[in-house]
C-alpha cells in the first residue's frame, strides 16, 4: 500500500506575519524545484500547508526530494479515501494492516473541516476505530500514549488518512534572509556552515582559495564537488575560485613565525570581503568553531575578524566536532570532505601557531609588507567564477582553471 499524497507543513515562516505569503511563495518555488523531475505531481496549497498529489510519482523518490526543502517543518505520507464512511473505514484498515510492525495499541484522531459530512469528529473516531478493532483481534485502544495514531482529515473536497508525521529540515525558505558569501575550504566544517546558513534562508555564493601548484588539482575538484552537493539545496550556487599562491608565498617569504596563520587568514578575509561587496552580498559565512584550532581561539578570531566590516556569520561556533560531523553526514558532504586532498590552509604552517596573536604586532607586520595590497588587488581581479547547477556544471569545461 503506497501513499498517494504528501501533506507538507510549513515551519517558522508562519511567525512572519505580513511576510508570510512571501515566505510561502518562496518555499513553494523550492518544492516545485525538487519535484521538477516528477511531471505527475499536483499541488493544492492551503493555509500553512500544501498537499502534493503524487499521481504516478514514486513515493520513495518524492520523500527523498523533500530532504532538500528548507522551511518545511514536517510532512506526512497520506492516503485518499472517498467521502463516505465505508470507504474511510476500509482505507483505515488497509493502512493499519500495511504497517511494517503490527502495533499493540492505537487511536483514531479525526478532524472534520467539511461540516456537511454526516458524522462529527467524535463519531468518526468511534466508527473508524471500532471497524479497525473488529478486524484486527488483539489490537487495543490507548488514547493517552498509543503506538500508532491514525489521523483522519475530512477536508472540504477530500478525505485524507495518515499515521506518520516526519520532521522536515525546518528553517526559512531559500533566499528569504538575504545573500552572503561562504568561505568554502575542502574540510568538514565550512560546507556544514554553508548548509546551516542556507537553512536560515540565506542565498549563498562560495569562495575558495587555492595555491596551485602547492595544492593539487584534485583538491580544487574536491571543493567543486562540495559546491555541487550544496547546490542540491538551492539548485544553483556561484563559486569564486581565487588563485592565492602569490599572496600566500609572498607572506611566507616575508614572515615564517607563529603569526603566519593569522596573517594568511586576514588576507583571505580581505579578498573575500572585496568579492562579496562586488557581488552585492551582505555577509561572510565561515566554518570556525571556537577553540578547534589556533586560528579559532577568541584572540585569534578577534585579530582576524578586525579586517572586515561585513557581518561575520559563524554558525558552527558553539558546536562540537562530532556534532558538525553528524550534520556533514546528514547533508552528504562528509564523504567528500574526508578525501585526502589538502587545501591551502594547511600549507606552510609554523610548528606552533599563535593562539593569542598581538593585534598591534600583526598590523605592524602587515605594514612592513609593501607588496601585500597589490597582490590582494591582483587576486581579486583574477578570481574566476563558475556557476554550479544541481546535477550539472553550466560552464563547458573547468580544465582551464587548473
Amino acid at each position: 500500500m503506497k501513499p498517494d499524497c504528501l501533506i507538507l507543513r510549513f515551519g517558522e515562516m508562519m511567525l512572519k506575519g505580513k511576510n508570510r505569503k512571501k515566505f510561502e511563495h518562496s518555499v513553494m518555488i523550492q518544492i516545485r524545484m525538487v519535484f521538477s523531475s516528477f511531471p505527475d505531481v499536483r499541488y493544492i496549497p492551503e493555509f500553512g500547508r500544501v498537499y502534493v498529489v503524487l499521481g504516478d510519482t514514486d513515493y520513495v523518490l518524492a520523500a527523498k526530494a523533500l530532504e532538500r526543502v528548507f522551511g518545511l517543518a514536517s510532512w506526512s505520507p497520506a492516503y485518499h479515501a472517498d467521502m463516505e464512511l465505508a470507504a474511510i473505514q476500509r482505507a483505515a484498515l488497509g493502512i493499519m494492516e500495511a504497517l511494517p510492525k503490527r502495533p499493540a495499541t492505537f487511536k483514531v484522531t479525526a478532524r472534520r473541516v467539511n461540516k456537511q459530512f454526516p458524522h462529527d469528529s467524535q463519531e468518526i473516531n468511534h466508527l473508524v476505530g471500532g471497524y479497525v478493532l473488529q478486524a484486527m483481534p488483539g489490537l487495543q485502544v490507548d488514547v493517552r500514549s498509543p503506538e500508532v495514531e491514525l489521523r483522519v482529515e475530512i477536508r472540504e473536497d477530500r478525505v485524507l488518512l495518515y499515521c506518520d508525521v516526519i520532521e522536515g529540515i525546518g528553517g526559512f525558505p531559500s533566499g528569504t534572509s538575504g545573500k552572503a558569501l561562504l568561505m568554502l575550504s575542502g574540510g568538514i566544517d565550512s560546507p556544514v556552515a554553508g548548509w546551516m546558513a542556507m537553512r536560515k534562508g540565506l542565498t549563498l555564493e562560495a569562495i575558495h582559495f587555492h595555491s596551485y601548484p602547492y595544492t593539487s588539482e584534485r583538491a580544487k575538484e574536491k571543493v567543486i564537488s562540495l559546491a555541487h552537493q550544496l547546490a542540491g539545496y538551492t539548485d544553483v550556487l556561484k563559486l569564486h575560485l581565487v588563485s592565492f599562491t602569490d599572496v600566500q608565498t609572498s607572506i611566507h617569504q616575508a614572515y615564517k613565525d607563529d603569526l603566519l596563520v593569522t596573517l594568511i587568514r586576514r588576507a583571505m578575509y580581505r579578498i573575500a570581503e572585496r568579492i562579496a561587496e562586488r557581488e552585492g552580498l551582505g555577509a561572510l559565512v565561515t566554518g570556525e568553531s571556537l577553540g578547534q584550532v589556533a586560528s579559532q581561539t577568541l584572540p585569534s578570531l578577534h585579530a582576524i575578524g578586525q579586517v572586515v566590516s561585513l557581518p561575520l556569520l559563524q554558525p558552527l561556533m558553539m558546536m562540537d566536532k562530532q556534532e558538525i560531523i553528524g550534520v556533514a553526514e546528514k547533508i552528504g558532504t562528509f564523504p567528500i570532505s574526508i578525501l585526502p586532498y589538502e587545501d591551502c590552509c594547511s600549507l606552510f604552517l609554523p610548528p606552533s601557531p599563535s593562539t593569542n596573536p598581538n593585534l598591534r604586532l600583526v598590523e605592524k607586520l602587515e605594514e612592513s609588507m609593501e607588496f601585500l595590497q597589490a597582490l590582494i588587488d591582483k587576486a581579486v581581479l583574477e578570481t574566476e567564477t563558475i556557476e554550479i547547477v544541481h546535477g550539472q556544471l553550466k560552464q563547458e569545461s573547468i580544465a582551464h582553471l587548473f
Side-chain angles (χ1 to χ4, degrees), residues 84 98 169 176 197 215 245 265 272 290 364 369 386:
E84 58 182 28
I169 58 176
T176 54
T215 54
T245 311
R265 295 292 291 173
L290 188 61
K364 192 172 180 180
M369 298 177 184
I386 57 177

Side-chain angles (χ1 to χ4, degrees), residues 207-223:
I207 186 170
H208 175 68
F209 297 85
H210 62 89
S211 284
Y212 185 79
Y214 298 99
T215 54
S216 68
E217 295 178 7
R218 288 187 171 181
K220 197 191 300 184
E221 290 171 348
K222 173 181 166 182
V223 169

Side-chain angles (χ1 to χ4, degrees), residues 109-130:
T109 303
R111 182 181 174 207
R112 188 187 64 157
V113 175
N114 184 347
K115 302 305 181 188
Q116 302 302 313
F117 193 75
H119 305 283
D120 64 23
S121 298
Q122 285 298 326
E123 289 173 339
I124 297 168
N125 291 343
H126 290 297
L127 292 168
V128 174

Side-chain angles (χ1 to χ4, degrees), residues 192-237:
V192 173
W195 180 84
M196 293 180 73
M198 289 192 291
R199 183 178 174 274
K200 293 305 284 183
L202 281 170
T203 295
L204 284 190
E205 297 185 13
I207 186 170
H208 175 68
F209 297 85
H210 62 89
S211 284
Y212 185 79
Y214 298 99
T215 54
S216 68
E217 295 178 7
R218 288 187 171 181
K220 197 191 300 184
E221 290 171 348
K222 173 181 166 182
V223 169
I224 292 172
S225 296
L226 288 169
H228 269 280
Q229 192 64 26
L230 291 176
Y233 292 90
T234 56
D235 201 32
V236 179
L237 189 146

Side-chain angles (χ1 to χ4, degrees), residues 21-161:
K21 283 190 176 179
K22 174 187 167 189
F23 277 60
E24 286 186 351
H25 177 70
S26 298
V27 79
M28 278 306 303
I29 291 174
Q30 203 170 356
I31 290 169
R32 291 176 186 276
M33 179 195 78
V34 302
F35 286 155
S36 60
S37 59
F38 307 137
D40 293 329
V41 299
R42 190 164 54 89
Y43 307 94
I44 306 173
E46 279 193 6
F47 184 83
R49 57 167 63 180
V50 61
Y51 302 95
V52 179
V53 181
L54 292 175
D56 292 331
T57 302
D58 185 290
Y59 160 70
V60 175
L61 295 178
K64 185 70 178 172
L66 291 179
E67 295 175 3
R68 297 193 282 127
V69 179
F70 295 119
L72 195 62
S74 66
W75 61 277
S76 296
Y79 306 81
H80 280 103
D82 292 337
M83 189 74 75
E84 58 182 28
L85 180 61
I88 296 169
Q89 290 173 323
R90 287 195 299 272
L93 180 58
I95 292 169
M96 292 297 295
E97 289 180 333
L99 290 172
K101 179 186 174 185
R102 179 167 176 156
T105 61
F106 87 120
K107 77 171 183 179
V108 175
T109 303
R111 182 181 174 207
R112 188 187 64 157
V113 175
N114 184 347
K115 302 305 181 188
Q116 302 302 313
F117 193 75
H119 305 283
D120 64 23
S121 298
Q122 285 298 326
E123 289 173 339
I124 297 168
N125 291 343
H126 290 297
L127 292 168
V128 174
Y131 183 87
V132 173
L133 280 174
Q134 195 170 28
M136 297 180 70
L139 184 64
Q140 294 184 337
V141 173
D142 184 343
V143 296
R144 294 182 181 275
S145 183
E147 288 184 39
V148 172
E149 182 174 359
L150 176 61
R151 296 169 173 87
V152 180
E153 293 193 4
I154 313 292
R155 313 301 297 180
E156 292 293 349
D157 57 351
R158 73 191 77 95
V159 177
L160 289 167
L161 300 94

